[in-house]
Amino acid sequence: MTTTVRTRMRLSTASQRLRNLSRPQLPTSVIAGRSLLYAILIVLALIYIAPFLVQVATSFKTDVEAATNPISLLPQTWSTSAYERLFLNSDFPIWFQNSAIVTVFVTLGRVFFNSLAGYALARLHFRGRNVIFALLIAVMSVPGVVLLIPKFLVINQLGIYDTYVAMIVPLLTDAAGVFIMKNFFESIPASVEEQARIDGAGNFRVFWSIVLPMARPALVTIIILSFQGSWNELSHFIVATQSPELTTLTKGVASLASGQLSQGTQYPLKLAAAAIMTIPVAVMFFIFQKRIMNTTDGAVKE
Amino acid sequence: MSMPARTPHRSGIRGGEAASGWLFTAPMIILLGMFLVIPVLMALWVSFSDWNGRGSPFSGSVAFVGLDNYSALVGGGGLAEQDFGTALRNNAWYVLLVVPIQTTLSLFLAVLVNRQILRGRGFFRTAFYFPSVTSSVAITVLWLFLFSASGAVNKLLSFIGVNGPNWFNDPSGVLHNIFEALGVETGPAVLTGNSFLGISFWEWLAGPSVAMSAFILMAVFTTSGTFMLLFIAALQNLSGDVVEAAIMDGANGWQRFWQVTLPQLRPTLFTVLTLGLIGAWQVFDQIYTGTQGGPGKTTLTPAYLSYQAAFTNQAWGQGAAIAFILFVIIVVFTLFQRWLLAERTVSARRMRLYLKTPTSGGFK
């Protein structure tokens, strides 16, 4: 009974909606409500976007104009001197290169090691598996900022301080990523592996050629998270390196911000640097936009 | 753990699982053990030692000093205690403001964007989420410009006749400023005369400084998009039936939100609050990039203080001690959240999975 009533109700609201769409005049209250909704959203969207527009515009201004006219979106005199200085007359290209190197290795490492460990924890039966998983959960709950001094201690003790090894190796796997992959592998029916096993494939073969190709959505999640995480990472590089040749974008731009490279405010220069370092993650974001928007919750539950 | 019961030794097609299992997890165990578990243990030792950064912390010249580093922070009466108290105060105000504001705003955005009739939903979602993908360093650089004395924000304020403050150089507490505007220049003796962690109660009540307020706005700006996505996912998972029933019962939009939608969002709400709390206690990148604790130490946070004590002042024991106290604070807050969750009979495991299905389990 109730179901039919409800269905009918739903049908009637749906048809009403349809009628509303096709009919030119809506009730005034609906129009007012909708206009208000759009007005609020547009104002909010402007607040969220405007800072980035101001940033790009200011990066093309002269220092003087950036100070006198901080808000206009069109420079009175276009100047690319900030970009010229960054690329031709500073360490910026080195920073960019270092960030790129670290990001590529960390992303590749995480894709491989996270899925390998996630597969073992989800599918292989071995003594100690539950203990490993419990430890993984414990490790996940350690706040990153607390690790600043500890990481430096071990990097120093191992004698790898101020090397690419110190920058890359500690980031090659992450507990949250293993967790995501484990959850994903658990959602794949075990039967897909059976045939390969009967054919005599070993555990690694099954993992590499049967299960991993099926894990594409989860791997994309790992790629997004690792790329963004390592490109935007700052604190690890602060404690792992000190030499200028190993400075990453985050560390370099942070030093720009605190004025170590420049006299005066030099906002166009700093904003240009910040804008360029945003481009790769922005591109990544727009490529995988659909995926990010659908599964952020998401990222963990596959 | 969807697999059937397991036996320690299997033969046939599932052979060699134990070896493979350990082999497959070995890289993770080694990496996490080496760069997470062992470092934490080393730092724990350092927090009980007088290591000054030279040589190995395990060499014979480094002495065990017991709880000295900790007691200097929470009862030493010196500069260390005062700095630590200041950092805790700054960060506590930050948490107190950031967490509720970002949670409310992200929920508000999610509800607005989730309207079925809305055109351009994708655009609005992108606009609100975009700040979340940028790095904290890049955003801080942008913020330093927007909130500079002659920056965009003050320019906007001047259009409506407000003389904006010199944001990142203004150490005055917001609450103190409000008290002052009301004619209260100094606090009552009972507040100024007594202190906790080296700073007077009146100073605890200063509120976030104007500089810290700019960081608070920045945190809201950059995190509301992420949490908005969590809320959108939860909203899309709600069954329409309950809402329709409420419509039939004559509930208006406002009542439906508060009495039908919000209770169903509770698990997500707790997730957002917990993640927000954990994140808001870890303010580091912004301070390192932007203000280095200034002006007047009003943007000092425990995380930055820990870094500064160790790497700048070579007081490694103290730096490590601060980190562990911060760790305890974060764990206590997380456990408190878990406890609240348990009250609502939603399991901790569920919470950990950030599950979005609110109707099964908890609320029937």
Side-chain angles (χ1 to χ4, degrees):
Chain A
M1 264 309 272
T2 42
T3 337
T4 45
V5 170
R6 240 179 238 170
T7 321
R8 207 178 302 149
M9 187 68 197
R10 211 180 297 153
L11 279 173
S12 75
T13 49
S15 59
Q16 214 174 328
R17 217 175 280 156
L18 264 177
R19 233 179 297 137
N20 284 350
L21 280 175
S22 54
R23 204 168 48 183
Q25 298 115 332
L26 292 169
T28 344
S29 62
V30 174
I31 295 178
R34 243 174 243 186
S35 313
L36 185 68
L37 174 68
Y38 279 107
I40 295 174
L41 277 170
I42 288 167
V43 169
L44 282 170
L46 273 180
I47 295 175
Y48 273 80
I49 297 169
F52 299 105
L53 299 180
V54 169
Q55 173 179 20
V56 174
T58 308
S59 72
F60 288 106
K61 290 176 187 171
T62 60
D63 281 12
V64 178
E65 199 191 336
T68 53
N69 201 355
I71 219 168
S72 80
L73 293 179
L74 283 175
Q76 279 167 331
T77 44
W78 286 79
S79 157
T80 53
S81 68
Y83 292 92
E84 280 163 27
R85 226 193 119 197
L86 277 180
F87 281 104
L88 303 175
N89 204 7
S90 79
D91 282 348
F92 192 80
I94 299 175
W95 302 342
F96 197 97
Q97 187 190 333
N98 285 330
S99 279
I101 291 171
V102 170
T103 302
V104 167
F105 279 104
V106 169
T107 305
L108 289 177
R110 286 194 184 177
V111 163
F112 183 65
F113 292 130
N114 290 354
S115 51
L116 198 61
Y119 175 72
L121 290 176
R123 276 297 156 77
L124 300 180
H125 304 286
F126 58 101
R127 200 185 284 266
R129 187 178 78 164
N130 291 336
V131 177
I132 296 175
F133 185 63
L135 285 176
L136 187 75
I137 296 296
V139 159
M140 260 171 78
S141 60
V142 177
V145 153
V146 171
L147 292 170
L148 279 177
I149 297 172
K151 266 189 188 164
F152 169 77
L153 292 175
V154 82
I155 285 169
N156 201 28
Q157 195 78 17
L158 289 172
I160 55 171
Y161 181 69
D162 214 16
T163 62
Y164 277 116
V165 175
M167 292 164 77
I168 293 168
V169 174
L171 301 179
L172 279 181
T173 188
D174 68 316
V178 175
F179 192 79
I180 292 170
M181 291 313 296
K182 173 186 179 285
N183 273 4
F184 183 84
F185 287 129
E186 277 174 352
S187 74
I188 296 180
S191 53
V192 302
E193 301 171 25
E194 297 298 313
Q195 188 58 47
R197 288 193 186 281
I198 290 167
D199 291 346
N203 288 317
F204 189 78
R205 269 293 298 284
V206 172
F207 162 73
W208 187 254
S209 21
I210 310 283
V211 187
L212 201 58
M214 294 178 70
R216 213 147 144 220
L219 290 178
V220 170
T221 304
I222 299 288
I223 292 173
I224 295 168
L225 292 177
S226 330
F227 185 94
Q228 205 179 312
S230 46
W231 187 266
N232 291 343
E233 175 68 47
L234 169 69
S235 56
H236 174 69
F237 302 133
I238 293 175
V239 302
T241 59
Q242 62 174 174
S243 51
E245 309 89 74
L246 292 177
T247 301
T248 58
L249 268 180
T250 44
K251 218 178 131 182
V253 175
S255 71
L256 263 188
S258 46
Q260 284 166 25
L261 203 89
S262 55
Q263 296 130 354
T265 53
Q266 297 207 327
Y267 281 120
L269 182 79
K270 296 173 186 172
L271 291 173
I276 295 172
M277 79 185 282
T278 309
I279 290 173
V281 278
V283 168
M284 189 80 176
F285 168 68
F286 285 112
I287 291 175
F288 291 112
Q289 192 179 14
K290 279 241 161 67
R291 171 121 199 103
I292 295 173
M293 290 306 191
N294 291 338
T295 59
T296 297
D297 57 303
V300 176
K301 191 207 162 208
E302 281 295 338
Chain B
M1 261 135 282
S2 53
M3 295 296 292
R6 56 211 164 84
T7 45
H9 294 288
R10 294 215 184 186
S11 53
I13 60 165
R14 292 200 155 265
E17 282 197 30
S20 299
W22 284 102
L23 200 65
F24 285 14
T25 49
M28 172 194 84
I29 294 171
I30 293 170
L31 285 171
L32 292 182
M34 191 97 117
F35 295 104
L36 227 140
V37 180
I38 294 175
V40 168
L41 296 177
M42 283 172 77
L44 196 59
W45 155 251
V46 167
S47 78
F48 293 114
S49 80
D50 64 353
W51 188 54
N52 61 5
R54 249 170 272 135
S56 162
F58 303 106
S59 72
S61 58
V62 177
F64 176 76
V65 296
L67 288 168
D68 280 8
N69 289 318
Y70 291 90
S71 59
L73 291 172
V74 295
L79 187 65
E81 186 190 6
Q82 214 177 341
D83 281 352
F84 184 61
T86 309
L88 274 185
R89 178 205 55 186
N90 299 339
N91 212 334
W93 282 109
Y94 181 90
V95 171
L96 200 67
L97 287 161
V98 166
V99 175
I101 295 175
Q102 79 188 8
T103 309
T104 316
L105 180 64
S106 54
L107 179 58
F108 179 69
L109 293 178
V111 170
L112 286 190
V113 168
N114 199 45
R115 295 287 180 89
Q116 291 304 321
I117 52 144
L118 188 67
R119 276 163 207 234
R121 284 200 288 171
F123 165 75
F124 288 118
R125 276 193 214 179
T126 306
F128 298 144
Y129 183 70
F130 186 72
S132 308
V133 302
T134 58
S135 85
S136 47
V137 173
I139 287 283
T140 306
V141 169
L142 176 55
W143 228 246
L144 289 174
F145 169 69
L146 293 177
F147 284 80
S148 62
S150 61
V153 170
N154 280 356
K155 192 86 173 178
L156 277 180
L157 287 175
S158 74
F159 290 155
I160 55 167
V162 177
N163 200 359
N166 188 355
W167 294 89
F168 282 109
N169 290 306
D170 190 340
S172 65
V174 168
L175 277 188
H176 273 184
N177 288 348
I178 293 174
F179 291 146
E180 213 174 292
L182 296 173
V184 185
E185 300 274 326
T186 52
V190 64
L191 290 180
T192 51
N194 297 301
S195 68
F196 175 62
L197 288 178
I199 56 174
S200 73
F201 285 111
W202 178 245
E203 280 304 315
W204 277 95
L205 290 176
S209 68
V210 175
M212 192 53 125
S213 307
F215 280 129
I216 289 173
L217 291 175
M218 187 176 109
V220 172
F221 178 70
T222 50
T223 50
S224 49
T226 314
F227 292 139
M228 172 193 76
L229 290 190
L230 289 180
F231 279 124
I232 289 176
L235 284 169
Q236 288 175 344
N237 243 35
L238 296 186
S239 77
D241 290 359
V242 188
V243 173
E244 271 176 29
I247 294 175
M248 285 169 74
D249 289 345
N252 64 29
W254 189 248
Q255 290 168 326
R256 285 203 303 274
F257 175 74
W258 282 102
Q259 288 164 23
V260 180
T261 310
L262 198 59
Q264 287 181 284
L265 287 180
R266 211 173 226 159
T268 314
L269 202 57
F270 278 116
T271 305
V272 169
L273 285 172
T274 309
L275 292 177
L277 269 174
I278 294 173
W281 274 108
Q282 302 194 58
V283 190
F284 176 80
D285 292 9
Q286 306 89 302
I287 311 299
Y288 176 89
T289 309
T291 56
Q292 290 85 43
K297 294 186 178 174
T298 59
T299 61
L300 206 58
T301 61
Y304 187 75
L305 186 66
S306 156
Y307 164 80
Q308 202 183 34
F311 289 87
T312 312
N313 303 334
Q314 300 300 317
W316 289 84
Q318 213 166 75
I322 296 170
F324 281 105
I325 296 176
L326 180 60
F327 192 8
V328 170
I329 290 174
I330 292 172
V331 168
V332 166
F333 268 98
T334 314
L335 289 179
F336 180 67
Q337 284 287 343
R338 287 263 165 90
W339 174 77
L340 279 178
L341 270 170
E343 288 288 278
R344 268 67 179 187
T345 68
V346 179
S347 75
R349 182 182 150 77
R350 165 171 289 252
M351 146 78 206
R352 222 184 286 123
L353 291 169
Y354 306 173
L355 270 186
K356 54 183 181 181
T357 44
T359 39
S360 63
F363 298 95
K364 293 263 165 104

